[in-house]
Amino acid sequence: MQESWRWYGPYDKITLPEIAQTGATGIVNALHEVPYGEVWQSEAINARADQIRAAGFDWVVVESLPIHERIKRGEGDLSQLFANYRQSMANLAAAGVKVICYNFMPLLDWTRTDLAAPVARGGTCLRFEAYRMAAFEIHMLGREAAKDDYPQDVQDRAKAWFDQSITADRDALLHAIMSGLPGAYDRYDVDGLRDALKLYEGLDRAALRGNYKRFLDEVIPTAEELGMRMCVHPDDPPRDILGLPRIVSSAADIDWIMDANDSDANGLTLCSGSLGANPVNDVPAIAAAHADRIHFAHLRNVRKDPDGAFEEAAHLDGDTDMVALTKVLLTEEKRRLEAGRADHNIPFRPDHGHELLTDIGGGTFPGYPMIGRLRGLAELRGVIAALSHTA
């Protein structure tokens, strides 16, 4: 497995020379400065690729080449947006970047309610608190239908929190919920989010699936021609939020996606944290079922609460059996190698580390500190070494 590291380019306080000290050899990067829907020009791609290679790395995965929201909504004439996406794919392939991670979450990317929840022995982590999300939806956003999405005890806690909260508390909650998207994206205040949600009225699960199927049919043939691999990232959290459907949240969802376009180019980003936040998901089993279509892995762990809350655990200390999951990936790598596949080496990265020691207050992207991810990489490296030695 190829050790890789997510780097946010000019937006990142962590430098490539610092990343080199982790031992990782691959960089996961994107042109976050390009607005959604516009073509990633060859000049910009090549400049970034040259910068990464000059520092001694391979640019192994694009994360992400974003999908315009109009495509997700199926709104209007989409021919130019699809053409732009395919051109960006071609420009990336020409630069030698052949794996694209993307998601199909409407409007928001990963969502948390707390960016600095305390960890038992010191440090902080990302946390999704069900009652705070309910407070935001019901009492701040004023979405009455949200009451159907939360059990009564969570609603009671939500009201209690909202009633005692002050403006700073509500601003911090909004900031946390809006923090999942880096680069050229829209952040909303409450009124702006309310207006944005109106554009999705009537978009149910079936409609979103139909729009996703259309996206796959538009881009997967191009991926095949270019020798590229597309790999969808699961929903985070793996549940409907803000009244918007999520369609990449469960084993059944992934089964549907793989069947919707039965091509090796239509693959999966195996994110153990996103899938692990859904209590019905057996993450190692999902990985085993779709091992031949896993082109990238995010390895992290979560600890869940009965009310739907969850938080980022240490990489080997959560609800997912990371040793069993890693064994699935190593077994698949061996199968690919024996079959003579050039893509036998699956890139992975440690995901969403804790803020520890001098990470705290360092101003890195939420979930992407240096020391916490380095700890995760070291732990995962040990698991891989042990499993490889006993294979």
Side-chain angles (χ1 to χ4, degrees):
M1 295 174 69
Q2 182 172 11
E3 296 178 0
S4 61
W5 192 272
R6 189 170 191 179
W7 179 59
Y8 286 93
Y11 295 98
D12 207 326
K13 293 193 173 184
I14 299 172
T15 67
L16 289 172
E18 288 172 328
I19 296 169
Q21 297 178 53
T22 70
T25 59
I27 290 295
V28 177
N29 186 246
L31 302 185
H32 295 297
E33 63 273 22
V34 180
Y36 293 7
E38 293 189 8
V39 174
W40 287 18
Q41 300 296 335
S42 294
E43 294 80 5
I45 292 170
N46 291 331
R48 184 65 55 81
D50 289 345
Q51 181 184 11
I52 290 168
R53 289 165 186 153
F57 298 95
D58 297 320
W59 185 357
V60 292
V61 179
V62 170
E63 185 178 352
S64 298
L65 180 57
I67 300 168
H68 198 279
E69 293 300 310
R70 282 181 53 213
I71 293 176
K72 297 176 188 177
R73 295 194 298 265
E75 177 186 292
D77 181 0
L78 301 175
S79 56
Q80 190 60 56
L81 287 174
F82 284 125
N84 288 355
Y85 201 95
R86 289 189 293 264
Q87 186 61 57
S88 296
M89 293 170 64
N91 293 346
L92 285 164
V97 187
K98 296 293 189 75
V99 180
I100 296 175
C101 171
Y102 69 97
N103 74 71
F104 213 78
M105 290 180 269
L107 192 61
L108 297 182
D109 203 311
W110 62 262
T111 304
R112 298 293 185 273
T113 60
D114 195 334
L115 303 180
V119 176
R121 299 188 67 185
T124 66
C125 70
L126 302 179
R127 182 170 174 83
F128 180 89
E129 196 73 76
Y131 76 86
R132 289 195 187 189
M133 193 69 200
F136 178 78
E137 292 203 55
I138 298 169
H139 300 289
M140 292 176 60
L141 199 59
R143 196 174 75 82
E144 278 295 311
K147 292 179 180 178
D148 297 330
D149 298 337
Y150 297 95
Q152 190 59 50
D153 61 325
V154 172
Q155 292 186 48
D156 292 343
R157 291 187 70 191
K159 187 174 188 310
W161 179 88
F162 181 78
D163 287 346
Q164 60 81 41
S165 66
I166 60 175
T167 299
D169 299 325
R170 299 170 192 174
D171 288 345
L173 178 57
L174 176 64
H175 172 71
I177 291 170
M178 291 292 111
S179 290
L181 294 175
Y185 64 96
D186 292 324
R187 281 189 176 180
Y188 304 101
D189 58 17
V190 170
D191 289 337
L193 181 58
R194 198 179 287 123
D195 289 341
L197 286 171
K198 291 178 182 177
L199 298 174
Y200 297 83
E201 290 179 354
L203 183 72
D204 60 13
R205 179 179 177 83
L208 187 60
R209 271 190 168 184
N211 296 339
Y212 185 26
K213 176 71 164 61
R214 179 181 177 187
F215 169 77
L216 292 175
D217 291 343
E218 291 276 358
V219 304
I220 294 302
T222 299
E224 292 173 336
E225 293 170 7
L226 297 169
M228 302 189 82
R229 296 289 186 260
M230 302 290 294
C231 41
V232 65
H233 188 286
D235 302 324
D236 188 9
R239 54 164 292 170
D240 295 356
I241 59 171
L242 301 175
L244 300 174
R246 295 286 180 97
I247 59 171
V248 196
S249 294
S250 67
D253 288 340
I254 295 170
D255 291 343
W256 180 87
I257 292 164
M258 297 300 105
D259 290 340
N261 193 300
D262 188 13
S263 166
D264 287 342
N266 176 31
L268 173 66
T269 295
L270 194 283
C271 181
S272 53
S274 296
L275 292 171
N278 186 335
V280 307
N281 285 339
D282 181 334
V283 182
I286 291 172
H290 299 289
D292 63 330
R293 305 276 280 275
I294 294 172
H295 305 312
F296 183 34
H298 292 178
L299 299 183
R300 62 182 173 91
N301 223 325
V302 296
R303 184 178 297 108
K304 300 182 287 293
D305 294 339
D307 68 353
F310 63 90
E311 68 181 24
E312 311 287 352
H315 284 72
L316 303 185
D317 183 26
D319 295 339
T320 295
D321 185 339
M322 198 63 69
V323 175
L325 176 60
T326 304
K327 187 174 182 179
V328 171
L329 297 175
L330 289 173
T331 299
E332 172 60 17
E333 281 196 332
K334 182 179 179 181
R335 187 195 69 80
R336 294 182 189 185
L337 182 62
E338 291 173 349
R341 282 179 54 170
D343 63 344
H344 64 271
N345 201 10
I346 299 172
F348 79 96
R349 64 174 179 83
D351 198 11
H352 289 192
H354 291 173
E355 283 200 340
L356 306 171
L357 304 170
T358 54
D359 280 339
I360 298 172
T364 53
F365 280 102
Y368 292 94
M370 170 58 85
I371 297 171
R373 283 189 290 166
L374 179 55
R375 174 186 171 181
L377 178 59
E379 292 175 342
L380 295 166
R381 182 182 291 152
V383 170
I384 292 167
L387 289 172
S388 300
H389 181 71
T390 58

